[in-house]
Amino acid sequence: MLVTLLLVLLGGGLLCLALDRFRPEAARLVSLLTLVVAALILASLAPLGPASAGPGNAWLAYVQMPWIPRFGISIELGLDGLSFLLLVLTLALGFIAVSASWTEISFRPGLFQANLLWTLAGVVGVFLALDLFLFFVFWEIMLVPMYLLIAVWGHEARAHAAYKFFIFTQVSGLLMLLAILVLAWTARTTGQALSFSYFDLLGQAPTGQLGMAIMLGFFIAFAVKLPAFGVHTWLPDAHTQAPTAGSVLLAGILLKTGAYGLIRFVLPLFPESSLAFAPIALGLGVAGILYGAVLAFAQDDFKRLVAYSSVSHMGFVLLGLYAFNALAQRGAVVQLVAHGISTAALFMMAGALQQRLHTRDMRKMGGLWQQAPRMGACALFFAMASLGLPGLGNFVAEFMVLAGLFAEHPITAALAALGLVTAAIYSLSLIQRAFQGPDNDQAKIDDFGPRELTTMAVMAAALLWLGLYPQPVLDLARIAPPLSLSGLSP
Amino acid sequence: MNSGMWQALSPLLALSGGTVVLMLQIAFHRNPRWSVAITQLSLLLGAGLLLWLWPGSDYQSLLLRVDGYALLLNLLFILAAAVTCWLSPAYIALRSEQSGEFFLLLLLATIGAMILAQAVHVASLLLGLELLGVALYALIAYPDRSLLPLEAAVKYLVLSGAASATLLFGFALAYAGTGQLAFTGLSESLALAGSGAYTLVMAASVMIICGLAFKLSLVPFHMWTPDVYQGAPSPVTGFLATVSKGAVFAVFLRAFLETGAYQFPIILNSLAAIAVASMLVGNLLALRQDNVKRLLAYSSIAHMGYLLIVLLVCSDPANHDLAVEAALFYLVAYTVTTLAAFAVLTWPGYEQYQGPEHTELKHLSGLLWHHPLAGLLMLVAMLSLAGIPLTAGFVGKFYLFSAAVTGPHWLLLGSLVVGSGIGIYYYLRVVYYLLRRDDNHALLPNAGWHESCLAVVLLAAVLGLGIAPQSLIGWIQSIL
């Protein structure tokens, strides 16, 4: 089933590509249909009963077949609660991305949809792969269609943004490849055959300096993707220049692969080095929260503001994971989902505005509420979600992270809590400048139509559900990683 | 003169026979179609004989050794020559009065490369090297309607001649020190040699390394590379970049292992310095190139630097098999990928003018939209050179990483990571030009079935080696 899921997405992409020649408008339908099929496959794997597959009977689904026996590399895929949660998010945002690109893309729509589906396939692969080599392959290969999305369909400065995005992630990826190889070869010297399987490498990490160096190789790759403070500079450019659907995918799920890597690989494979590294990671998290928030406030570009707010929000994920506290770690998982939805919605809003006004500059907006009240209401809702209004998903996540963190590191938690205040400032200023105030724009703009309204409503409902009844998500995060979250809490 | 010998030498003889037939054909009845057909047939025959010898052959004479290593590389060279021959006719017909001799030279160069892969003696090494080199001078200068190829050929001739002289002097010194010229003989007398001979032999090794490094265009012997790459006709550049470098590396690796040169720290250290310098300088200089052939020239300098890692890994005898395996896979991947890139540059419709070649980056602008197959091939070739997964280049790079982490080669690994990181930028630049959609392309390439076939084959090879590398790995392992 897991392989089928990947093949469906890849095949759907090929079909879109084939349609590009003669029926380009049919491609988006095919794309939608592909996602429906993928969603059905995923639904058939839903964690209704106890997990019973794979090593330790801890996986919902598990498959392994040889790929490159020379290096002990196999196609090893596994689905647990955490992967399931993130796959649901991935496919949901896939729908949103298709919806966002429905009318926006006029150049080669078939190829666009193909790249969209291939990016999703890469991300799904990342969330499923349990062989480190396979994981790396998915990790790198998902960048290629994403690069194409930015470089071909992006906005005015797309070349620069696409280079920066690709080079940051590739170079950090090479460090991870090196780390994976060193880990596998050192594990081999202890007697077993060369293997890249997650299960064979668990508990094999060398201690001391070498262990720390290998851990850093992984951490840097994931921190770039997350992004952590200091290596985040690719993010504002890439998010701003990408087409709307690309921004949705980037912010909604590609950033999550970094967090997923930390949860799945760094913490379980290198428990000791991670513990020793925790203070630095927490520092990076706090710095990211505050720095992202301050820069978000200073932006005039709608998308850039949202991009910097992502840096700030993802800081909470880093804090949650390195707090080494069960509550905070589960909060981080909720944050992944909540941030994915709320940011995707804000990017879609930005895309809708750009399509209507041909600008993302908030100095040229203002007073839009009078012309487009439905857009204004949606924007206000998601701005509230982003600033952490109780009752919405982001509040639950950030509260859990802060509560868990406070038990371990009160001062860090106090500093991070400032992030909630600054989030209120930049979110409200966004609404104020774009939708309130005097009407700057003479031209009449169209309000949201049914397609856009439905998309927004679904995302709003998801955030409300996450805010009012987060228990199912918390449960998934708990059954999820037998070794990653619960096993590590001191 | 037993039957085993005739069998082992039959691929070489097939190609040599092909050159004679081709020469007679040109003398009596000039016809480019016939020339191409004879060339392709003799290459096909050679490839068939190689497969027939596979995998049990292990014939050794004083000069040549036909083992699995030589067979695999010979097959690679023959296939690369066949691709070059497939690409050339239209190109050469546009740019020169007569095209028959081009194929004659191509066959001779291929024979030289095959001899290099089989050489186990200094004499056969020189024989192969000069056969390859002399044929290449003429191949580079072949188009007689512009001056650039001539300039490139003269440059290559002079510098290559100097390198050969250095190499020869190195061999003379080695002979003075040990009294041996065969690789294995050198190894035995090195073990017995006293300190006086040691100095002589080390001086000899340094000269030999310099000579071979020139042919491989390693830093600091790389100056000729961009000019020759740019000036030479594109199919010949592809041949030079793959077969010529591959053959020299093949004999370098064999000599390095069989003479026991890997035991000497001086040799290892100088090779490490050359490798690091090549990786960094090659990649840095490629950054600012606007001509795709020059860009590929600098990139090839870096790739040869990566490949040198394999030699350094050999310092631990336990790793010899892994090192040879990595080298063979990398060479195959690099050859296929580079041929793909040069195939796009040679694309005849793209070259409809008789004037200078259209190989500036701006000429590739929007290729993916105007000519999807050519654009896709170039895109995949660039991704493979950059080492992106699911391409042949990635598996090759993975092999190098695997080989290097077996020992304390942190400096080399660091340079490999930094070099690859820089490399991504300029490969992406090419990709970005391929994807540009704003300017109108004046030269719309028109693809015949001829080019499309080749493009599909190369595409399948680059992606196939990346997605399912196990079959080639199994092949390579079966000969070690």
Side-chain angles (χ1 to χ4, degrees), chain A residues 21 67-71 107 111 133 136 140-141 147-148 152 159 163 166-167 170-171 174 178 181 185, chain B residues 322 325 369 372 388-389 394 398-399 401-402 405 413 420-421 424 428-429 432 435 437 467 469-470 473 477:
Chain A
R21 279 259 168 122
W67 182 19
I68 311 178
R70 165 69 183 89
F71 290 106
F107 180 78
L111 188 59
F133 181 89
F136 178 80
E140 298 269 278
I141 206 69
Y147 169 83
L148 294 177
V152 178
Y163 282 144
F166 203 80
I167 290 174
Q170 278 289 326
V171 174
L174 278 173
L178 191 55
L181 270 164
W185 283 87
Chain B
L322 178 64
E325 200 184 323
W369 314 122
I388 306 294
F394 171 69
F398 181 77
Y399 250 118
F401 269 115
S402 313
V405 294
L413 279 170
S420 308
I424 289 165
L428 271 191
R429 246 183 106 208
Y432 180 70
L435 297 173
R437 52 183 231 222
I467 294 169
Q470 182 62 34
I473 294 176
Q477 282 195 313

Side-chain angles (χ1 to χ4, degrees), chain A residues 445-463:
Chain A
I445 63 165
D446 298 330
D447 207 347
F448 271 163
R451 171 178 60 84
E452 286 156 316
L453 216 52
T454 318
T455 318
M456 288 288 173
V458 170
M459 287 193 278
L463 279 181

Side-chain angles (χ1 to χ4, degrees), chain B residues 199-430:
Chain B
T199 321
L200 264 183
V201 169
M202 282 308 114
S205 321
V206 171
M207 302 197 87
I208 294 169
I209 289 174
C210 291
L212 292 176
F214 170 85
K215 305 274 181 186
L216 290 173
S217 69
L218 292 161
V219 174
F221 310 100
H222 64 285
M223 303 295 183
W224 60 275
T225 324
D227 292 339
V228 172
Y229 266 54
Q230 189 185 8
S234 290
V236 176
T237 314
F239 186 81
L240 173 77
T242 55
V243 175
S244 164
K245 289 193 179 176
V248 174
F249 189 84
V251 75
F252 197 177
L253 181 60
R254 198 196 281 266
F256 190 74
L257 291 178
E258 292 195 356
T259 56
Y262 55 85
Q263 299 155 1
F264 299 99
I266 297 181
I267 297 180
L268 290 174
N269 289 339
S270 52
L271 281 177
I274 291 177
V276 171
S278 301
M279 290 184 231
L280 299 181
V281 172
N283 278 316
L284 283 173
L285 291 181
L287 283 177
R288 301 204 51 96
Q289 301 303 321
D290 287 326
N291 182 300
V292 183
K293 281 165 94 180
R294 291 184 83 85
L295 188 149
L296 286 172
Y298 284 112
S299 121
S300 84
I301 295 172
H303 277 276
M304 289 300 132
Y306 301 153
L307 199 47
L308 273 197
I309 290 179
V310 161
L311 295 180
L312 292 151
V313 169
C314 292
S315 58
D316 179 0
N319 290 335
H320 281 186
D321 278 358
L322 178 64
V324 174
E325 200 184 323
L328 286 175
F329 195 99
Y330 199 88
L331 274 178
V332 173
Y334 178 74
T335 301
V336 172
T337 310
T338 309
L339 284 175
F342 281 101
V344 176
L345 293 177
T346 320
W347 209 273
Y350 199 67
E351 299 276 352
Q352 43 192 292
Y353 291 128
Q354 297 176 1
E357 294 187 320
H358 286 259
T359 53
E360 297 292 323
L361 266 178
K362 60 172 189 275
H363 295 129
L364 289 182
S365 186
L367 191 65
L368 195 68
W369 314 122
H370 304 298
H371 199 308
L373 193 59
L376 185 64
L377 187 60
M378 196 64 171
L379 175 75
V380 169
M382 288 301 128
L383 293 181
S384 177
L385 285 174
I388 306 294
L390 301 189
T391 60
F394 171 69
V395 184
K397 202 163 267 178
F398 181 77
Y399 250 118
L400 292 187
F401 269 115
S402 313
V405 294
T406 54
H409 306 291
W410 301 113
L411 180 66
L412 291 169
L413 279 170
S415 314
L416 183 56
V417 169
V418 172
S420 308
I422 303 171
I424 289 165
Y425 175 77
Y426 60 82
Y427 295 126
L428 271 191
R429 246 183 106 208
V430 180

Side-chain angles (χ1 to χ4, degrees), chain A residues 43-53 57-61 81 476 479:
Chain A
S44 75
L45 296 166
L48 301 173
S52 60
N57 287 337
W59 300 79
L60 297 168
L476 271 180
I479 47 168

